[in-house]
């Protein structure tokens, strides 16, 4: 596709087996593989066209750090493809809290690379676009694809990641209920948090070494739709990620009181027979993953918790897409 203006849409993804730690910071190569689900209703919509200089606005405002990261991503695209360096002007609308642990940057970079690719004429296949998005933000690589997504970290830092959809969204339409417990940006972003963890946490290598077994167990659970098994491995991965981050110096504590209350609520619901498990990223929001049909019960319970500001509902959704507009 060659177009003078494009609209790209991408959705955040939530890791069930977490990425936390880099093998190479320059190439942004992850130290561990990860497994995620791409969401549907939360969305970044990016309009892009050629202009005088590269520029990015998010919800109408320009922020220097976000713009610099977007330009670096566009430069990587142009270097990779060898296209003429025509600048791109992009404006993104985000329909959920930005930089608050809801993977806005993952969706944002996924939308940006598909928008650039569409403007430049459809040069790269999705796995290549995923690699470029992943250089900008590791988790962004997964938002190129829909449903259940496996990102395999390379054995050697200089080798590329391998990202693919392992099951489509409609193969197992899990429901996701997000308990929003704070709306401001988090104090320490993922990039800084994972580097601090790698450099200072005494259990870091144990975290990395255990990842292949978690990935294998989670992949098997997805392919056999074994919810109890997926619940076990996903909560274990989440708690290990936060445990190793808490063991950094100074320790990283992304949770607030309502996050912990929501965690106990999810466990109590499961104990009482509701098929649900939790996961939490580098922020205080809790994501409850529910078997199809359990979302209403879980949303009602989470919305009762003091400190839960809002409850967002999603299903599983598609990968990033661009169209001429
Ligand atoms: C906790 O992808 O935001 O959400 O590569 O430094 O941009 P960078 O990190 P990022 O980290 C995501 C960390 C996580 C877990 C996950 O999504 O796997």
């Amino acid at each position: 596709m060659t177009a003078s203006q494009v609209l790209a849409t991408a959705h955040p993804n939530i890791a069930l087996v977490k990425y936390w730690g880099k093998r190479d910071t320059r190439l942004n190569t992850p130290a561990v593989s990860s497994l995620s689900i791409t969401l549907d209703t939360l969305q970044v919509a990016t309009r892009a066209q050629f202009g005088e200089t590269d520029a990015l606005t998010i919800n109408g405002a320009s922020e220097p750090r976000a713009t610099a990261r977007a330009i670096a991503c566009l430069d990587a695209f142009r270097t990779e493809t060898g296209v003429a360096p025509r600048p791109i002007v992009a404006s993104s609308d985000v329909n959920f809290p930005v930089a608050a642990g809801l993977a806005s940057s993952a969706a944002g970079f996924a939308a940006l690379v598909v928008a650039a690719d569409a403007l430049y004429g459809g040069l790269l296949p999705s796995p290549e676009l995923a690699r470029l998005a992943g250089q900008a933000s590791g988790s962004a690589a997964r938002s190129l694809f829909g449903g259940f997504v496996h990102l395999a970290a390379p054995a050697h830092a200089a080798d590329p990641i391998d990202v693919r959809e392992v099951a489509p969204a409609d193969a197992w339409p899990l429901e996701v209920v997000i308990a929003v417990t704070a709306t401001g940006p988090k104090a320490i972003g993922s990039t800084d948090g994972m580097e601090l963890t790698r450099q200072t946490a005494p259990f870091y290598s144990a975290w990395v070494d255990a990842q292949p077994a978690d990935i294998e167990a989670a992949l098997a659970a997805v392919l056999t739709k074994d919810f109890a098994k997926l619940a076990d491995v996903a909560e274990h991965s989440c708690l290990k990620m936060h445990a190793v981050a808490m063991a950094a110096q100074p320790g990283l504590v992304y949770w607030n009181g309502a996050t912990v209350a929501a965690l106990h609520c999810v466990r109590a619901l499961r104990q009482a027979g509701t098929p649900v498990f939790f996961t939490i990223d580098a922020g205080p929001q809790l994501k409850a993953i529910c078997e199809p049909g359990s979302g209403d019960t879980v949303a009602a319970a989470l919305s009762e918790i003091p400190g839960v500001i809002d409850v967002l509902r999603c299903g599983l959704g598609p990968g990033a897409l661009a169209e001429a507009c």
Side-chain angles (χ1 to χ4, degrees), residues 174-189:
L174 300 178
E175 296 178 41
V176 179
V177 180
I178 301 174
V180 178
T181 66
T183 50
K186 57 199 170 202
I188 300 186

Side-chain angles (χ1 to χ4, degrees), residues 18-262:
K18 301 294 187 193
Y19 151 50
W20 194 254
K22 299 171 196 293
R23 184 160 286 137
D24 182 296
T25 46
R26 194 179 58 83
L27 297 170
N28 206 34
T29 312
V32 290
S33 301
S34 52
L35 181 84
S36 61
I37 46 176
T38 301
L39 304 180
D40 58 4
T41 50
L42 307 187
Q43 174 175 287
V44 174
T46 298
R47 281 177 196 281
Q49 60 192 22
F50 291 120
E52 296 280 300
T53 51
D54 285 326
L56 172 72
T57 56
I58 300 173
N59 292 339
S62 134
E63 198 273 307
R65 192 156 177 269
T67 302
R69 289 180 79 191
I71 293 173
C73 180
L74 293 171
D75 282 342
F77 182 98
R78 291 182 284 241
T79 304
E80 173 91 13
T81 55
V83 290
R86 290 182 74 185
I88 288 181
V89 177
S91 61
S92 297
D93 289 317
V94 186
N95 71 354
F96 60 96
V98 172
L102 291 174
S104 55
S105 64
F109 285 114
L112 187 67
V113 296
V114 296
D117 190 61
L119 276 178
Y120 285 117
L123 303 171
L124 296 177
S126 294
E128 291 294 327
L129 292 173
R131 279 174 202 145
L132 284 170
Q135 283 171 22
S137 183
S139 55
R142 302 185 308 237
S143 279
L144 264 293
F145 297 93
F148 296 81
V149 181
H150 177 209
L151 186 159
H156 305 287
D159 290 343
I161 53 171
D162 179 21
V163 196
R164 60 187 69 198
E165 178 189 295
V166 291
D170 59 5
W172 197 15
L174 300 178
E175 296 178 41
V176 179
V177 180
I178 301 174
V180 178
T181 66
T183 50
K186 57 199 170 202
I188 300 186
S190 303
T191 307
D192 292 341
M194 60 179 87
E195 267 307 275
L196 184 71
T197 305
R198 184 178 68 80
Q199 287 160 2
T200 64
F203 323 126
Y204 178 73
S205 59
W207 153 255
V208 173
D209 293 347
Q211 192 79 342
D214 286 355
I215 291 282
E216 198 182 320
L219 278 172
V222 167
L223 295 175
T224 57
K225 299 187 193 167
D226 185 337
F227 191 84
K229 191 168 170 183
L230 189 60
D232 274 356
V233 66
E235 288 193 358
H236 186 51
S237 177
C238 166
L239 292 174
K240 276 194 297 184
M241 182 202 107
H242 285 275
V244 75
M246 285 180 198
Q249 281 185 310
L252 297 163
V253 182
Y254 285 108
W255 304 347
N256 60 31
T259 319
V260 178

